Amino acid sequence: MTGRAPNLKNRKPTDGTIRRVVSLVGILTAVLLVTGIALGATTATDTESVTVEGAVTDAETGNPIENADVTLLNETGYVASHLTTESGEYEFPSVGHSDFTIRVTADGYDEYEETFSDSGETIEKDIELTPGNIVEDWAQSQSDVRHTGTTADSGPNRTVTTEWTFETTGNSADDTTPALYNGTVFFGSETAHEEPAEFYAVDAETGEEQWRFEGDDDMNEPVVHDGTVYVTSDDETVYAFDANTGEIKWDYRMDVDSHPSGIPIQSAPAVANGNVYVHAGYDSQLSDQLFAIDADTGEEQWTAETSHDSGPAPEPIVIGSTVYTAHNHDQYRGGYYGWIRGFNSYTGEREETRLTHDFGDPILTPVFDREAIYTSEPRRDTLHKHQRFGPAAGEQLWTFEFDNSPGVPTVSGGTVYIATDGETEIGEGLVGPGSLHAIDGATGNEDWVFTPETDEHLVRSPAIAGETIYISGSSGTMYMIDATSGEEIASFDAETDGRFSSPVVTEDRIFATNDDGKLYAFSETEFKVNITETPKKGFLTGTEEHVRATIENIGDETRTQTVTLSVGGVDVAQEDVTVG
């Protein structure tokens, strides 16, 4: 019998033995039932995986949101990302048990984030997104991480004058579009005349300096996020400053050991998903890299080679869980190529499913809207629209050809606004008048074109505030254009021969740096009137009633205004009056 299990089937136990076995089984069954565990069943923690699924809908209409970017994170980090289906649904099957964080982004909606606990084999998580995504501060170049170049504010658009200027140490600053955050303007300058490059924080209302930082090389365009200013420098360094004090929270130096000649950075970073993304590199002598750096600690998270080797590496753009970069390649100076690539913003892996179009020439930083990607090719004088989502992602939808070289576009309300600066080829200089074009995003047809009467070159990307387009000229003029008609509303000569950066627009002011080394703040001249009415006594139906009003200008602007007389809430007369 040694080593063999007893054959209970052939044994003949006594009745007492049988009763004791039955009693034990009964006790065991009772314990299992009391603890809520049925024989043959498993618990959530017994299974090796869990499924997280649900639908994403509009909080106001209840309609499903297609192509919302849903990212699932667990206690150790990134799990996966998916785009919602046409019915707004998503699913993360067979993921390990954990506490989870779900993050959802979609164009035109506020970002959604929620942390929840594991609660079974299938976790239903339906999500409602609130319409919004409105830019309150102009916290980076072209206003936001998507490079929309727009704000919901209606900016100054009548008679504009210089309210104040802030002078740097004499260095050029026009290549660095400022950022506006919480009442402070942030911008950098270039090294010049043996003066060091500096980075400044200036009060938006008064123009008074808040703090400054002296760097070793050119300071590029900043990005402000959650109270921290992130800025890159040509000395291969990324800085994180406290927005209020200017204290350095951390600085990150590119890996110069593997690149003895350094990895120059000449573009702005992007900040999203807890990381700072930097596209570093310049020419074919260096292996250009995309870096992800922890936004809080400054620790490197991952790097990826981008194959860009022609000119300054364009700045990255983060859409949901993907970071996009434009790459330009000079094949031994014999031919140029350009393309857009997508990388997982959490892991750095190339996302072949979101691969976009390859171009035959160098391209500028792409701009995204809900369904498409817009990219310009300056050497070929063209603007392209490409499919953003689905199996046809990257497919070219239309191309528009200009007479001169286009810049980086701005997209608003289904219309693409883009300036041509007269530069026929890269490096050949400005040879023709600049124009601002409005292109219908759906058809690729031109709605209107604006050309300055002075033949001034339009050298920067436009900004849009409300129904007004703001764009700077090459000789110190700021233009305000009606977005619907293309008609000039107003223009202002700042009396400088320097070129302005792309403008930053708020309800009260327009900010722009200039290569004369100054930061400018423009605002509307004040128009205030005091109206004193002396109506005749009485009111006779069917007869003319004369009302005398004295309109006194107590501001500093002469303007023609329409004066309306209302009786009982009904407008009965109007007259244009010039108030001087």
Side-chain angles (χ1 to χ4, degrees), residues 129-145:
L129 297 186
T130 302
N133 206 1
I134 297 174
V135 177
E136 296 181 357
D137 284 316
W138 204 285
Q140 68 172 77
S141 173
Q142 288 190 274
S143 77
D144 57 24
V145 72

Side-chain angles (χ1 to χ4, degrees), residues 19 62 234 278 335 381 475 526:
R19 281 195 298 271
D234 283 11
V278 179
D381 301 339
S475 300
E526 188 176 32

Side-chain angles (χ1 to χ4, degrees), residues 8-90:
L8 298 180
K9 187 174 182 179
N10 295 327
R11 292 180 63 184
K12 296 181 179 179
T14 65
D15 289 344
T17 302
I18 294 175
R19 281 195 298 271
R20 284 194 294 272
V21 172
V22 171
S23 177
L24 289 172
V25 172
I27 293 171
L28 178 61
T29 303
V31 171
L32 292 175
L33 290 175
V34 168
T35 58
I37 305 174
L39 291 173
T42 59
T43 68
T45 54
D46 289 332
T47 59
E48 295 182 357
S49 64
V50 62
T51 295
V52 181
E53 62 184 18
V56 180
T57 58
D58 185 299
E60 294 183 357
T61 66
N63 295 331
I65 300 175
E66 184 181 7
N67 291 322
D69 193 304
V70 185
T71 296
L72 188 67
L73 308 169
N74 62 17
E75 295 166 320
T76 60
Y78 175 79
V79 176
S81 296
H82 296 301
L83 297 177
T84 55
T85 64
E86 185 177 359
S87 58
E89 296 176 337
Y90 69 91

Side-chain angles (χ1 to χ4, degrees), residues 310-348:
S310 179
E315 60 195 273
I317 297 178
V318 184
I319 310 292
S321 61
T322 302
V323 53
Y324 294 93
T325 54
H327 314 282
N328 295 313
H329 175 60
D330 181 357
Q331 191 174 24
Y332 308 108
R333 307 297 178 186
Y336 290 98
Y337 300 91
W339 56 89
I340 303 171
R341 293 290 184 264
F343 297 84
N344 185 294
S345 65
Y346 295 92
T347 66

Side-chain angles (χ1 to χ4, degrees), residues 324-555:
Y324 294 93
T325 54
H327 314 282
N328 295 313
H329 175 60
D330 181 357
Q331 191 174 24
Y332 308 108
R333 307 297 178 186
Y336 290 98
Y337 300 91
W339 56 89
I340 303 171
R341 293 290 184 264
F343 297 84
N344 185 294
S345 65
Y346 295 92
T347 66
E349 296 179 0
R350 270 270 300 274
E351 294 193 340
E352 297 295 341
T353 57
R354 301 189 190 183
L355 190 69
T356 56
H357 188 75
D358 287 357
F359 300 84
D361 261 325
I363 57 176
L364 301 180
T365 301
V367 175
F368 293 72
D369 72 359
R370 289 175 182 264
E371 302 294 336
I373 307 170
Y374 298 92
T375 305
S376 54
E377 283 186 277
R379 290 177 61 92
R380 293 190 175 185
D381 301 339
T382 53
L383 171 69
H384 305 277
K385 177 183 179 179
H386 296 271
Q387 181 67 35
R388 177 174 164 186
F389 295 116
E395 178 182 336
Q396 183 169 292
L397 302 177
W398 53 253
T399 294
F400 186 90
E401 295 186 4
F402 302 95
D403 293 331
N404 296 314
S405 299
V408 176
T410 297
V411 183
S412 177
T415 301
V416 186
Y417 301 96
I418 186 168
T420 57
D421 62 9
E423 190 175 13
T424 55
E425 284 196 21
I426 294 176
E428 288 192 4
L430 303 174
V431 297
S435 298
L436 177 65
H437 302 257
I439 311 296
D440 185 291
T443 65
N445 297 326
E446 186 174 74
D447 290 337
W448 53 257
V449 59
F450 165 78
T451 302
E453 294 181 359
T454 60
D455 286 344
E456 194 172 19
H457 306 300
L458 303 179
V459 294
R460 303 299 180 202
S461 298
I464 303 175
E467 298 298 323
T468 304
I469 303 172
Y470 300 80
I471 190 165
S472 58
S474 58
S475 300
T477 305
M478 187 69 65
Y479 295 93
M480 286 144 275
I481 312 299
D482 185 278
T484 302
S485 66
E487 297 293 327
E488 181 179 320
I489 299 173
S491 61
F492 172 68
D493 186 352
E495 298 181 355
T496 174
D497 293 331
R499 299 191 306 176
F500 281 110
S501 67
S502 293
V504 171
V505 185
T506 69
E507 185 177 0
D508 301 320
R509 294 176 181 86
I510 306 166
F511 301 96
T513 56
N514 192 283
D515 62 10
D516 65 4
K518 295 179 182 178
L519 168 68
Y520 286 76
F522 308 119
S523 62
E524 286 189 3
T525 51
E526 188 176 32
F527 181 75
K528 291 183 179 180
V529 295
N530 181 37
I531 301 178
T532 304
E533 294 183 347
T534 56
K536 293 177 62 177
K537 294 181 179 180
F539 184 85
L540 299 176
T541 303
T543 66
E544 242 182 37
E545 181 73 14
H546 295 275
V547 176
R548 182 184 299 275
T550 300
I551 305 177
E552 178 187 6
N553 186 4
I554 58 175

Side-chain angles (χ1 to χ4, degrees), residues 270-306:
V271 183
N273 303 330
N275 287 332
V276 181
Y277 302 94
V278 179
H279 193 188
Y282 189 87
D283 58 33
S284 57
Q285 303 302 314
L286 305 171
S287 178
D288 291 10
Q289 300 276 336
L290 177 64
F291 290 80
I293 306 164
D294 187 281
D296 292 328
T297 65
E299 296 180 358
E300 181 182 302
Q301 302 301 295
W302 53 261
T303 64
E305 289 194 13
T306 66

